[in-house]
Amino acid sequence: FAEEYYYLKQIAAKTQMVIVLNDGEELRGSIEWYDKSAIKFNRKDGPTILLLKHNIRYMFKSEELRRKGRSS
């Protein structure tokens, strides 16, 4: 249930996320909805998109970029 808990927590908080696709493209926005195979993602600089999970390399919270920038 860890994946479900993680998604529900990010959706409720409208956490700003970075999603990196398998081709290296980065998308920024928040997760609106998810199911077993897809994520509905509200992008900052574009329309809402439905992403199939198998196309996602990884994702992380946008705040992680700021933390990394301060420690460098």
Side-chain angles (χ1 to χ4, degrees):
F1 296 104
E3 181 180 34
E4 178 181 357
Y5 176 76
Y6 181 79
Y7 285 130
L8 291 174
K9 186 174 178 185
Q10 305 321 317
I11 291 167
K14 297 187 185 214
T15 305
Q16 292 301 302
M17 304 288 293
V18 177
I19 293 181
V20 180
L21 302 178
N22 289 332
D23 67 1
E25 182 179 359
E26 291 185 6
L27 304 174
R28 299 179 194 287
S30 60
I31 300 169
E32 180 179 323
W33 169 92
Y34 78 98
D35 72 4
K36 182 179 174 182
S37 60
I39 293 174
K40 186 174 180 184
F41 195 65
N42 288 323
R43 296 188 286 172
K44 283 185 169 184
D45 300 326
T48 299
I49 187 171
L50 185 67
L51 298 169
L52 298 177
K53 288 182 180 178
H54 71 266
N55 291 318
I56 298 172
R57 186 180 303 168
Y58 59 90
M59 69 178 77
F60 58 92
K61 296 177 186 177
S62 293
E63 68 186 37
E64 297 298 323
L65 289 174
R66 291 189 291 274
R67 286 185 196 164
K68 186 176 179 182
R70 278 190 242 143
S71 65
S72 300

